[in-house]
């Protein structure tokens, strides 16, 4: 059971936040990368490319600098997820992320990478909007996933897109029903 | 690459392709003329198969034999000939850009 928990992407994200003593939003993802000894480069790329990660002397993460800042934060958090969870599988290759939410079933996605993308997304969601910080920010207010004003405010506070905040609040509501 | 690693990576590829097809081990066993136990052992890297079984497996999994062969990772890559992996296929133009960016950054990193 413990082993299973340790492999959970969200658990790993929470561990990383605790390790680096990050207790406030917005979560400083650049700082996290720096503390992990990762080199981050912001480079203009083709529109559909979000970012990539590969090993040189250090791990190197490249983020598409043409995207919205919140999107860049998500890209960096997603690549940090690959760094924490999948470096063994990346090995000497260059792992490229294109359109996070589209998982075409082609020859390459069949090699287990679509599962890893979902894991990196879960990691990124928890890293950028940690559940305990979200609950803290809500401060006992009633949550309504349709309340656009509240969602916009929270999204600004955490420096994430509104879609991401809507998704995280949806997950929070689901978790509360399950527990 | 260690022999054991080679077989375990081969096994992983077999399992991934089987799961992609949504088939269980018994079904792939029947389609390839191997037993369910053999497929299970192959997938965990415990069984070292002869060449003709590789072809039978590839046929059952509906892939080219090359798709089941692990890529050697012990060769030191240069900055430009690294394999590019992605969950979504990249266009030729995107691949070219990735190679360029990786080369550019590698040349300047540390």
């Amino acid at each position: 059971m413990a082993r299973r928990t340790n492999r959970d992407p969200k658990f790993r994200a929470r561990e990383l936040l605790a390790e680096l003593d990050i207790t406030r939003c917005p979560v400083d993802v650049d700082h996290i990368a720096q503390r992990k000894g990762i080199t981050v480069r912001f480079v203009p790329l083709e529109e559909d490319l979000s970012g990539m990660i590969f090993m040189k002397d250090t791990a190197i993460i490249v983020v598409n600098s043409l995207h919205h800042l919140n999107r860049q934060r998500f890209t960096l958090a997603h690549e940090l997820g690959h760094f924490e969870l999948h470096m063994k599988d990346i090995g000497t290759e260059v792992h490229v992320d294109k359109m996070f939410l589209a998982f075409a079933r082609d020859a390459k996605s069949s090699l287990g990478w679509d599962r890893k993308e979902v894991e990196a997304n879960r990691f990124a969601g928890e890293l950028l909007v940690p559940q305990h910080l979200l609950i803290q920010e809500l401060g006992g207010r009633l949550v309504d996933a349709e309340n656009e004003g509240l969602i916009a405010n929270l999204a600004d506070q955490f420096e994430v897109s509104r879609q991401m905040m809507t998704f995280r609040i949806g997950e929070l509501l689901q978790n509360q029903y399950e527990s | 690459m260690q022999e054991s690693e080679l077989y375990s990576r081969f096994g992983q590829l077999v399992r991934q392709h089987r799961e992609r097809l949504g088939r269980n081990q018994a079904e792939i066993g029947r389609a390839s003329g191997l037993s369910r136990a053999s497929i299970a052992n192959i997938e965990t890297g415990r069984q070292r198969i002869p060449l003709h079984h590789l072809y039978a497996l590839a046929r059952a999994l509906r892939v080219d034999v090359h798709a089941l062969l692990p890529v050697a990772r012990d060769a030191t890559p240069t900055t430009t000939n690294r394999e590019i992996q992605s969950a979504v296929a990249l266009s030729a133009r995107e691949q070219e850009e990735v190679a360029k960016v990786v080369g550019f950054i590698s040349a300047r990193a540390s």
Side-chain angles (χ1 to χ4, degrees), chain B residues 7-99:
Chain B
Y7 283 98
S8 96
R9 298 229 335 250
F10 169 67
Q12 285 167 16
L13 290 167
V14 169
R15 194 187 62 240
Q16 284 163 6
H17 282 290
R18 175 176 64 73
E19 288 174 350
R20 177 177 56 83
L21 288 178
R23 295 293 156 83
N24 62 34
Q25 293 174 336
E27 288 168 328
I28 293 304
R30 270 197 300 279
S32 60
L34 299 168
S35 66
R36 190 209 61 80
S38 278
I39 301 296
N41 287 328
I42 287 167
E43 289 187 0
T44 51
R46 287 195 300 266
Q47 187 164 328
R48 305 185 168 196
I49 64 163
L51 198 53
H52 62 282
H53 285 174
L54 170 66
Y55 282 83
L57 268 174
R59 222 172 14 250
L61 295 168
R62 298 185 210 155
V63 291
D64 191 272
V65 284
H66 298 112
L68 298 177
L69 300 178
V71 178
R73 292 212 177 129
D74 35 15
T76 314
T78 66
T79 52
T80 46
N81 73 355
R82 288 173 186 253
E83 288 281 332
I84 295 171
Q85 54 176 225
S86 169
V88 181
L90 304 182
S91 68
R93 186 177 159 148
E94 287 165 344
Q95 286 189 33
E96 204 177 299
E97 182 176 71
V98 168

XYZ file of all heavy atoms in Angstrom, chain B residues 7-99:
730
model
N 16.060 -8.411 -22.180
C 14.846 -9.212 -22.204
C 13.701 -8.548 -21.446
O 12.543 -8.673 -21.821
C 15.119 -10.630 -21.682
C 15.827 -11.452 -22.741
C 17.212 -11.606 -22.718
C 15.109 -12.017 -23.795
C 17.872 -12.317 -23.710
C 15.761 -12.736 -24.788
C 17.143 -12.879 -24.748
O 17.773 -13.573 -25.730
N 14.046 -7.830 -20.394
C 12.941 -7.193 -19.670
C 12.382 -6.023 -20.480
O 11.172 -5.781 -20.486
C 13.365 -6.822 -18.239
O 13.769 -5.490 -18.166
N 13.247 -5.321 -21.214
C 12.732 -4.226 -22.064
C 11.944 -4.778 -23.250
O 10.933 -4.204 -23.669
C 13.880 -3.334 -22.538
C 14.579 -2.671 -21.354
C 14.794 -1.180 -21.485
N 14.867 -0.646 -22.809
C 15.968 -0.176 -23.374
N 17.108 -0.180 -22.712
N 15.931 0.323 -24.564
N 12.395 -5.910 -23.776
C 11.641 -6.572 -24.845
C 10.249 -6.951 -24.319
O 9.233 -6.705 -24.970
C 12.408 -7.811 -25.313
C 11.614 -8.707 -26.224
C 11.258 -8.281 -27.490
C 11.219 -9.966 -25.798
C 10.517 -9.104 -28.333
C 10.481 -10.792 -26.629
C 10.130 -10.358 -27.894
N 10.231 -7.517 -23.107
C 8.967 -7.909 -22.484
C 8.021 -6.733 -22.295
O 6.812 -6.844 -22.524
N 8.593 -5.600 -21.913
C 7.760 -4.401 -21.722
C 7.111 -3.978 -23.034
O 5.953 -3.585 -23.074
C 8.603 -3.233 -21.192
C 8.981 -3.363 -19.721
C 10.070 -2.380 -19.312
O 10.341 -1.416 -20.024
N 10.691 -2.628 -18.180
N 7.902 -4.073 -24.112
C 7.363 -3.690 -25.420
C 6.233 -4.635 -25.823
O 5.208 -4.204 -26.351
C 8.480 -3.692 -26.473
C 9.504 -2.562 -26.322
C 10.726 -2.820 -27.196
C 8.871 -1.228 -26.687
N 6.426 -5.934 -25.564
C 5.380 -6.908 -25.886
C 4.106 -6.562 -25.115
O 3.008 -6.503 -25.674
C 5.845 -8.351 -25.557
C 4.672 -9.331 -25.644
C 6.973 -8.776 -26.505
N 4.270 -6.297 -23.810
C 3.105 -5.997 -22.988
C 2.397 -4.722 -23.464
O 1.170 -4.668 -23.595
C 3.489 -5.850 -21.518
C 2.262 -5.880 -20.594
C 2.599 -5.568 -19.156
N 3.132 -4.222 -19.041
C 4.341 -3.931 -18.565
N 5.139 -4.897 -18.164
N 4.749 -2.696 -18.506
N 3.196 -3.676 -23.776
C 2.590 -2.414 -24.203
C 1.797 -2.586 -25.499
O 0.700 -2.053 -25.636
C 3.670 -1.344 -24.371
C 4.141 -0.817 -23.017
C 5.474 -0.082 -23.096
O 5.998 0.143 -24.178
N 6.017 0.268 -21.949
N 2.361 -3.346 -26.432
C 1.650 -3.551 -27.693
C 0.405 -4.422 -27.487
O -0.622 -4.209 -28.114
C 2.584 -4.143 -28.750
C 3.498 -3.112 -29.349
N 3.047 -2.122 -30.185
C 4.825 -2.895 -29.181
C 4.065 -1.347 -30.539
N 5.148 -1.788 -29.933
N 0.516 -5.398 -26.589
C -0.660 -6.231 -26.295
C -1.767 -5.378 -25.669
O -2.933 -5.458 -26.068
C -0.263 -7.383 -25.348
C -1.453 -8.229 -24.904
C -1.038 -9.401 -24.067
N -0.420 -9.048 -22.800
C -1.085 -8.547 -21.749
N -2.383 -8.331 -21.820
N -0.435 -8.252 -20.635
N -1.383 -4.551 -24.706
C -2.387 -3.714 -24.029
C -3.001 -2.692 -24.981
O -4.171 -2.354 -24.877
C -1.758 -3.024 -22.811
C -1.514 -4.027 -21.686
C -0.754 -3.454 -20.497
O -0.238 -2.326 -20.612
O -0.669 -4.152 -19.472
N -2.185 -2.228 -25.907
C -2.699 -1.287 -26.909
C -3.823 -1.935 -27.711
O -4.818 -1.309 -28.063
C -1.564 -0.861 -27.843
C -1.969 0.068 -28.976
C -0.755 0.481 -29.788
N 0.000 -0.648 -30.307
C -0.304 -1.305 -31.411
N -1.335 -0.946 -32.129
N 0.420 -2.320 -31.803
N -3.652 -3.254 -27.976
C -4.679 -3.970 -28.727
C -5.860 -4.372 -27.839
O -6.887 -4.827 -28.327
C -4.087 -5.247 -29.339
C -3.117 -5.102 -30.509
C -2.621 -6.472 -30.929
C -3.782 -4.397 -31.682
N -5.673 -4.235 -26.530
C -6.730 -4.625 -25.597
C -6.912 -6.130 -25.513
O -8.022 -6.622 -25.288
N -5.815 -6.871 -25.716
C -5.893 -8.337 -25.670
C -5.256 -8.864 -24.392
O -4.328 -8.251 -23.866
C -5.138 -8.941 -26.863
C -5.734 -8.610 -28.209
C -7.109 -9.277 -28.342
N -7.929 -8.541 -29.318
C -7.846 -8.722 -30.619
N -6.996 -9.590 -31.112
N -8.616 -8.026 -31.426
N -5.729 -10.014 -23.913
C -5.085 -10.610 -22.751
C -3.983 -11.574 -23.206
O -3.817 -11.839 -24.399
C -6.110 -11.273 -21.816
C -6.862 -12.410 -22.488
O -6.301 -13.125 -23.322
N -8.132 -12.561 -22.133
N -3.242 -12.079 -22.222
C -2.082 -12.919 -22.552
C -2.498 -14.203 -23.265
O -1.811 -14.667 -24.177
C -1.305 -13.244 -21.267
C -0.655 -11.993 -20.678
C 0.003 -12.254 -19.335
O -0.352 -13.185 -18.628
N 0.976 -11.419 -18.988
N -3.635 -14.763 -22.872
C -4.094 -16.007 -23.501
C -4.408 -15.778 -24.985
O -4.068 -16.612 -25.839
C -5.327 -16.526 -22.768
N -5.031 -14.651 -25.275
C -5.400 -14.358 -26.671
C -4.163 -14.197 -27.556
O -4.113 -14.708 -28.674
C -6.262 -13.081 -26.721
C -7.666 -13.298 -26.181
C -8.438 -11.999 -25.954
O -7.812 -10.962 -25.620
O -9.667 -12.034 -26.095
N -3.159 -13.459 -27.021
C -1.929 -13.284 -27.801
C -1.186 -14.621 -27.903
O -0.576 -14.932 -28.929
C -1.037 -12.181 -27.161
C -1.734 -10.811 -27.288
C 0.341 -12.132 -27.816
C -2.107 -10.392 -28.720
N -1.278 -15.416 -26.852
C -0.679 -16.757 -26.888
C -1.270 -17.580 -28.026
O -0.545 -18.140 -28.852
N -2.601 -17.617 -28.081
C -3.276 -18.386 -29.146
C -2.893 -17.859 -30.521
O -2.574 -18.630 -31.425
C -4.800 -18.290 -28.981
C -5.385 -19.395 -28.112
C -6.892 -19.522 -28.294
N -7.608 -18.295 -27.936
C -7.912 -17.957 -26.677
N -7.582 -18.754 -25.669
N -8.561 -16.840 -26.423
N -2.871 -16.541 -30.680
C -2.592 -15.947 -31.993
C -1.153 -16.166 -32.431
O -0.851 -16.145 -33.625
C -2.908 -14.449 -31.956
N -0.262 -16.398 -31.472
C 1.151 -16.549 -31.837
C 1.624 -17.994 -31.712
O 2.785 -18.305 -31.997
C 2.017 -15.647 -30.957
O 1.849 -15.996 -29.594
N 0.736 -18.886 -31.244
C 1.112 -20.288 -31.095
C 1.937 -20.553 -29.846
O 2.628 -21.564 -29.740
N 1.883 -19.614 -28.878
C 2.597 -19.815 -27.613
C 1.568 -19.977 -26.493
O 0.399 -19.658 -26.679
C 3.499 -18.603 -27.324
C 4.603 -18.322 -28.357
C 5.231 -16.954 -28.127
C 5.670 -19.404 -28.299
N 2.025 -20.451 -25.346
C 1.087 -20.608 -24.227
C 0.911 -19.280 -23.498
O 1.739 -18.380 -23.622
C 1.610 -21.658 -23.253
O 2.797 -21.179 -22.643
N -0.170 -19.197 -22.713
C -0.399 -17.992 -21.928
C 0.762 -17.783 -20.960
O 1.236 -16.671 -20.741
C -1.713 -18.100 -21.142
C -2.141 -16.781 -20.499
C -2.946 -16.984 -19.235
N -2.192 -17.692 -18.205
C -1.289 -17.116 -17.400
N -1.046 -15.826 -17.500
N -0.647 -17.830 -16.509
N 1.254 -18.894 -20.387
C 2.365 -18.809 -19.423
C 3.617 -18.248 -20.092
O 4.350 -17.449 -19.504
C 2.645 -20.173 -18.822
N 3.846 -18.666 -21.359
C 5.010 -18.141 -22.085
C 4.903 -16.641 -22.260
O 5.863 -15.907 -22.060
C 5.122 -18.785 -23.468
O 5.741 -20.042 -23.366
N 3.704 -16.184 -22.653
C 3.525 -14.738 -22.848
C 3.795 -14.006 -21.527
O 4.495 -12.996 -21.492
C 2.086 -14.405 -23.343
C 1.790 -15.130 -24.664
C 1.902 -12.890 -23.511
C 2.636 -14.726 -25.843
N 3.278 -14.562 -20.436
C 3.490 -13.935 -19.119
C 4.982 -13.876 -18.802
O 5.486 -12.842 -18.344
C 2.737 -14.718 -18.048
N 5.683 -14.966 -19.067
C 7.124 -15.001 -18.778
C 7.917 -14.075 -19.696
O 8.873 -13.435 -19.275
C 7.664 -16.433 -18.889
C 7.223 -17.293 -17.712
O 7.056 -16.797 -16.606
N 7.018 -18.579 -17.960
N 7.514 -14.019 -20.954
C 8.186 -13.117 -21.903
C 8.017 -11.672 -21.438
O 8.968 -10.893 -21.426
C 7.599 -13.304 -23.327
C 8.067 -14.638 -23.922
C 8.001 -12.138 -24.238
C 7.310 -15.078 -25.166
N 6.803 -11.346 -21.021
C 6.530 -9.955 -20.627
C 7.318 -9.531 -19.393
O 7.606 -8.348 -19.214
C 5.023 -9.759 -20.398
C 4.243 -9.796 -21.701
C 2.768 -9.444 -21.528
O 2.344 -9.168 -20.391
O 2.051 -9.456 -22.547
N 7.653 -10.488 -18.537
C 8.430 -10.114 -17.344
C 9.926 -10.314 -17.589
O 10.733 -10.123 -16.686
C 7.999 -10.941 -16.114
O 8.028 -12.319 -16.472
C 6.621 -10.546 -15.654
N 10.285 -10.729 -18.808
C 11.705 -10.861 -19.136
C 12.327 -12.162 -18.657
O 13.534 -12.346 -18.714
N 11.483 -13.092 -18.194
C 12.030 -14.346 -17.674
C 12.270 -15.387 -18.754
O 12.986 -16.341 -18.552
C 11.071 -14.944 -16.622
C 11.074 -14.192 -15.292
C 10.406 -15.035 -14.214
N 9.025 -15.347 -14.571
C 7.980 -14.612 -14.173
N 8.163 -13.560 -13.420
N 6.767 -14.944 -14.529
N 11.633 -15.185 -19.909
C 11.790 -16.180 -20.974
C 12.536 -15.578 -22.159
O 12.174 -14.515 -22.655
C 10.404 -16.675 -21.422
C 10.471 -17.824 -22.405
C 9.132 -18.537 -22.534
O 8.362 -18.612 -21.565
N 8.838 -19.042 -23.711
N 13.571 -16.266 -22.601
C 14.387 -15.768 -23.710
C 13.980 -16.520 -24.973
O 14.239 -17.697 -25.125
C 15.856 -15.985 -23.392
C 16.176 -15.339 -22.053
C 17.620 -15.377 -21.689
N 17.835 -14.482 -20.556
C 19.021 -14.057 -20.174
N 20.110 -14.450 -20.805
N 19.144 -13.245 -19.142
N 13.339 -15.815 -25.859
C 12.671 -16.496 -26.969
C 13.571 -16.675 -28.186
O 14.470 -15.870 -28.431
C 11.397 -15.740 -27.394
C 11.758 -14.353 -27.929
C 10.404 -15.648 -26.251
C 10.638 -13.721 -28.726
N 13.339 -17.743 -28.982
C 14.044 -17.903 -30.252
C 13.493 -16.924 -31.305
O 12.384 -16.399 -31.146
C 13.764 -19.347 -30.643
C 12.516 -19.700 -29.932
C 12.461 -18.869 -28.688
N 14.276 -16.733 -32.340
C 13.960 -15.739 -33.362
C 12.582 -15.938 -34.003
O 11.845 -14.975 -34.224
C 15.061 -15.775 -34.428
C 15.191 -14.581 -35.358
C 15.302 -13.278 -34.566
C 16.442 -14.758 -36.233
N 12.216 -17.213 -34.281
C 10.929 -17.418 -34.973
C 9.742 -17.030 -34.073
O 8.688 -16.674 -34.561
C 10.803 -18.852 -35.508
C 10.832 -19.926 -34.469
N 12.001 -20.354 -33.877
C 9.831 -20.654 -33.922
C 11.715 -21.305 -33.002
N 10.409 -21.499 -33.010
N 9.949 -17.087 -32.756
C 8.873 -16.638 -31.865
C 8.700 -15.122 -31.917
O 7.599 -14.602 -31.752
C 9.152 -17.084 -30.421
C 8.896 -18.541 -30.195
N 9.184 -19.183 -29.019
C 8.383 -19.486 -31.029
C 8.852 -20.462 -29.119
N 8.375 -20.667 -30.336
N 9.825 -14.433 -32.150
C 9.745 -12.972 -32.292
C 8.820 -12.615 -33.456
O 7.946 -11.745 -33.339
C 11.147 -12.384 -32.540
C 11.211 -10.911 -32.945
C 10.728 -10.007 -31.810
C 12.638 -10.519 -33.337
N 8.981 -13.332 -34.569
C 8.149 -13.048 -35.743
C 6.682 -13.410 -35.485
O 5.771 -12.691 -35.868
C 8.693 -13.790 -36.976
C 9.894 -13.081 -37.567
C 11.171 -13.273 -37.037
C 9.743 -12.175 -38.621
C 12.269 -12.592 -37.538
C 10.841 -11.490 -39.132
C 12.095 -11.706 -38.595
O 13.172 -11.023 -39.087
N 6.482 -14.542 -34.780
C 5.110 -14.959 -34.468
C 4.443 -13.937 -33.550
O 3.268 -13.588 -33.731
C 5.133 -16.339 -33.809
N 5.206 -13.437 -32.582
C 4.666 -12.436 -31.657
C 4.323 -11.143 -32.377
O 3.269 -10.547 -32.152
C 5.700 -12.128 -30.564
C 5.623 -12.955 -29.291
C 6.802 -12.618 -28.394
C 4.309 -12.687 -28.567
N 5.247 -10.710 -33.247
C 5.022 -9.464 -33.979
C 3.744 -9.579 -34.813
O 2.940 -8.643 -34.875
C 6.222 -9.150 -34.867
N 3.547 -10.762 -35.418
C 2.342 -10.973 -36.234
C 1.093 -10.888 -35.354
O 0.127 -10.222 -35.681
C 2.430 -12.341 -36.918
C 1.977 -12.319 -38.346
C 2.219 -13.614 -39.136
N 2.561 -14.807 -38.395
C 3.778 -15.381 -38.418
N 4.744 -14.871 -39.157
N 4.017 -16.474 -37.724
N 1.159 -11.557 -34.205
C 0.009 -11.560 -33.291
C -0.281 -10.160 -32.765
O -1.437 -9.805 -32.534
C 0.275 -12.515 -32.128
N 0.775 -9.381 -32.587
C 0.602 -8.025 -32.040
C 0.385 -6.990 -33.142
O 0.220 -5.791 -32.874
C 1.827 -7.635 -31.203
C 2.037 -8.484 -29.942
C 3.415 -8.225 -29.335
C 0.951 -8.202 -28.918
N 0.398 -7.476 -34.395
C 0.168 -6.617 -35.571
C 1.146 -5.458 -35.637
O 0.762 -4.306 -35.879
C -1.263 -6.088 -35.569
C -2.274 -7.222 -35.665
C -3.646 -6.686 -35.774
N -4.604 -7.594 -35.188
C -5.771 -7.228 -34.719
N -6.123 -5.963 -34.754
N -6.590 -8.099 -34.221
N 2.407 -5.754 -35.363
C 3.436 -4.733 -35.538
C 4.596 -5.326 -36.316
O 4.716 -6.543 -36.444
C 3.987 -4.205 -34.176
C 2.930 -3.401 -33.434
C 4.514 -5.345 -33.315
N 5.430 -4.455 -36.822
C 6.657 -4.882 -37.460
C 7.586 -5.431 -36.380
O 7.553 -4.958 -35.244
C 7.283 -3.656 -38.132
C 8.411 -4.040 -39.049
O 9.559 -4.143 -38.572
O 8.139 -4.259 -40.242
N 8.428 -6.414 -36.703
C 9.335 -6.961 -35.671
C 10.175 -5.863 -35.019
O 10.470 -5.929 -33.828
C 10.302 -8.061 -36.208
C 9.572 -9.367 -36.402
C 10.997 -7.616 -37.458
N 10.536 -4.849 -35.786
C 11.386 -3.783 -35.238
C 10.750 -3.083 -34.040
O 11.437 -2.603 -33.151
C 11.680 -2.725 -36.308
C 12.419 -3.283 -37.477
N 11.857 -3.396 -38.721
C 13.656 -3.803 -37.560
C 12.726 -3.954 -39.544
N 13.830 -4.210 -38.864
N 9.413 -3.058 -34.047
C 8.711 -2.348 -32.968
C 8.909 -3.045 -31.624
O 8.685 -2.454 -30.573
C 7.225 -2.254 -33.287
N 9.344 -4.316 -31.678
C 9.513 -5.057 -30.424
C 10.964 -5.076 -29.951
O 11.268 -5.588 -28.871
C 9.020 -6.505 -30.597
C 7.533 -6.663 -30.944
C 7.198 -8.135 -31.165
C 6.659 -6.083 -29.837
N 11.860 -4.544 -30.769
C 13.279 -4.592 -30.413
C 13.684 -3.372 -29.589
O 13.505 -2.241 -30.036
C 14.142 -4.667 -31.679
C 13.878 -5.894 -32.569
C 14.746 -5.824 -33.818
C 14.138 -7.189 -31.808
N 14.230 -3.598 -28.388
C 14.664 -2.462 -27.570
C 15.795 -1.710 -28.270
O 16.636 -2.320 -28.927
C 15.193 -3.117 -26.286
C 14.594 -4.488 -26.274
C 14.443 -4.881 -27.714
N 15.783 -0.397 -28.118
C 16.839 0.431 -28.704
C 18.001 0.486 -27.724
O 17.803 0.702 -26.533
C 16.312 1.859 -28.968
C 17.414 2.746 -29.530
C 15.137 1.817 -29.907
N 19.214 0.246 -28.228
C 20.389 0.307 -27.358
C 20.537 1.705 -26.816
O 20.478 2.678 -27.554
C 21.630 -0.099 -28.136
N 20.688 1.808 -25.482
C 20.822 3.139 -24.904
C 22.226 3.351 -24.361
O 22.514 4.363 -23.775
C 19.831 3.306 -23.755
C 18.413 3.318 -24.266
C 17.537 4.176 -23.425
N 16.218 4.195 -24.023
C 15.111 3.950 -23.372
N 15.151 3.700 -22.086
N 13.955 3.981 -23.973
N 23.095 2.369 -24.543
C 24.423 2.520 -23.962
C 25.369 3.306 -24.863
O 26.437 3.715 -24.456
C 25.029 1.171 -23.551
C 24.647 0.056 -24.499
O 24.170 0.377 -25.609
O 24.819 -1.115 -24.154
N 24.932 3.517 -26.124
C 25.753 4.344 -26.993
C 25.622 5.801 -26.552
O 24.532 6.271 -26.290
C 25.279 4.205 -28.437
N 26.723 6.511 -26.421
C 26.660 7.911 -26.013
C 26.128 8.742 -27.166
O 26.675 8.709 -28.260
C 28.064 8.433 -25.643
O 28.676 7.453 -24.825
C 27.977 9.751 -24.911
N 25.051 9.475 -26.945
C 24.491 10.230 -28.053
C 25.248 11.535 -28.275
O 25.763 12.120 -27.336
C 23.084 10.548 -27.558
C 23.211 10.601 -26.069
C 24.328 9.673 -25.697
N 25.344 11.962 -29.486
C 25.861 13.300 -29.741
C 24.667 14.236 -29.597
O 23.553 13.792 -29.401
C 26.450 13.413 -31.154
O 25.371 13.257 -32.075
C 27.498 12.362 -31.416
N 24.914 15.514 -29.704
C 23.817 16.445 -29.452
C 22.738 16.365 -30.516
O 21.603 16.679 -30.264
C 24.335 17.887 -29.405
O 25.087 18.117 -30.583
C 25.200 18.114 -28.186
N 23.092 15.940 -31.691
C 22.106 16.008 -32.767
C 21.450 14.672 -33.107
O 20.405 14.665 -33.721
C 22.737 16.576 -34.050
O 23.984 15.914 -34.246
C 22.955 18.067 -33.937
N 22.065 13.553 -32.697
C 21.433 12.296 -33.119
C 20.643 11.627 -32.013
O 20.420 10.431 -32.038
C 22.473 11.331 -33.709
C 23.366 10.731 -32.657
O 23.281 11.098 -31.479
N 24.221 9.811 -33.051
N 20.201 12.399 -31.021
C 19.382 11.818 -29.970
C 18.029 11.431 -30.532
O 17.478 12.101 -31.401
C 19.137 12.844 -28.871
C 20.328 13.167 -28.011
C 19.918 14.297 -27.118
N 20.986 14.810 -26.315
C 21.095 14.599 -25.002
N 20.215 13.851 -24.385
N 22.084 15.125 -24.319
N 17.477 10.354 -29.965
C 16.127 9.964 -30.333
C 15.158 10.984 -29.745
O 15.337 11.452 -28.627
C 15.795 8.599 -29.737
C 16.522 7.440 -30.398
C 15.858 7.044 -31.701
O 14.640 7.256 -31.834
O 16.576 6.540 -32.579
N 14.144 11.320 -30.510
C 13.119 12.223 -30.002
C 11.879 11.392 -29.713
O 11.422 10.635 -30.562
C 12.796 13.318 -31.045
C 14.036 14.200 -31.258
C 11.612 14.161 -30.588
C 13.905 15.182 -32.408
N 11.367 11.504 -28.494
C 10.148 10.759 -28.155
C 9.043 11.731 -27.797
O 9.285 12.800 -27.244
C 10.410 9.790 -26.998
C 10.999 10.485 -25.786
C 11.185 9.556 -24.588
O 10.844 9.921 -23.502
N 11.721 8.365 -24.806
N 7.830 11.346 -28.138
C 6.692 12.213 -27.868
C 5.426 11.371 -27.901
O 5.336 10.420 -28.672
C 6.632 13.294 -28.955
O 5.414 13.985 -28.876
N 4.461 11.711 -27.047
C 3.208 10.949 -27.026
C 2.370 11.256 -28.258
O 1.542 10.468 -28.681
C 2.412 11.259 -25.759
N 2.592 12.431 -28.834
C 1.862 12.836 -30.036
C 2.895 12.997 -31.154
O 3.941 13.610 -30.939
C 1.138 14.182 -29.802
C 0.362 14.595 -31.028
C 0.212 14.088 -28.592
N 2.624 12.449 -32.315
C 3.604 12.489 -33.407
C 3.981 13.925 -33.775
O 3.131 14.811 -33.798
C 3.029 11.770 -34.620
N 5.263 14.141 -34.037
C 5.732 15.471 -34.428
C 5.829 15.559 -35.937
O 6.146 14.581 -36.598
C 7.124 15.729 -33.835
C 7.294 15.604 -32.317
C 8.729 15.938 -31.926
C 6.329 16.509 -31.579
N 5.567 16.738 -36.458
C 5.748 16.957 -37.894
C 7.242 17.033 -38.177
O 8.045 17.204 -37.256
C 5.077 18.268 -38.303
O 5.777 19.361 -37.742
N 7.602 16.906 -39.448
C 9.013 16.973 -39.825
C 9.612 18.306 -39.382
O 10.730 18.368 -38.876
C 9.151 16.797 -41.333
N 8.822 19.350 -39.551
C 9.279 20.685 -39.190
C 9.529 20.798 -37.684
O 10.505 21.391 -37.236
C 8.176 21.665 -39.628
C 8.534 23.104 -39.474
C 7.378 23.906 -40.021
N 7.403 25.248 -39.496
C 6.977 26.297 -40.175
N 6.489 26.138 -41.390
N 7.022 27.482 -39.636
N 8.627 20.203 -36.886
C 8.788 20.234 -35.432
C 10.008 19.426 -35.000
O 10.760 19.844 -34.122
C 7.519 19.696 -34.748
C 6.357 20.673 -34.828
C 5.016 20.046 -34.492
O 4.900 18.798 -34.473
O 4.071 20.807 -34.249
N 10.204 18.269 -35.635
C 11.370 17.444 -35.302
C 12.664 18.194 -35.576
O 13.605 18.146 -34.791
C 11.358 16.158 -36.128
C 10.320 15.177 -35.659
C 10.458 13.825 -36.330
O 11.561 13.400 -36.640
N 9.349 13.163 -36.562
N 12.668 18.883 -36.701
C 13.841 19.651 -37.094
C 14.118 20.752 -36.064
O 15.252 20.979 -35.663
C 13.554 20.273 -38.457
C 14.763 20.626 -39.285
C 14.305 21.164 -40.633
O 13.628 20.409 -41.367
O 14.568 22.337 -40.917
N 13.026 21.397 -35.642
C 13.186 22.478 -34.666
C 13.707 21.943 -33.330
O 14.595 22.534 -32.721
C 11.856 23.201 -34.444
C 12.016 24.362 -33.475
C 10.747 25.170 -33.308
O 9.794 24.678 -32.690
O 10.711 26.289 -33.831
N 13.152 20.808 -32.899
C 13.604 20.209 -31.634
C 15.098 19.886 -31.719
O 15.866 20.226 -30.809
C 12.791 18.931 -31.309
C 13.450 18.144 -30.172
C 11.353 19.288 -30.931
N 15.515 19.262 -32.812
C 16.938 18.899 -32.974
C 17.817 20.148 -32.913
O 18.879 20.153 -32.294
C 17.143 18.155 -34.289
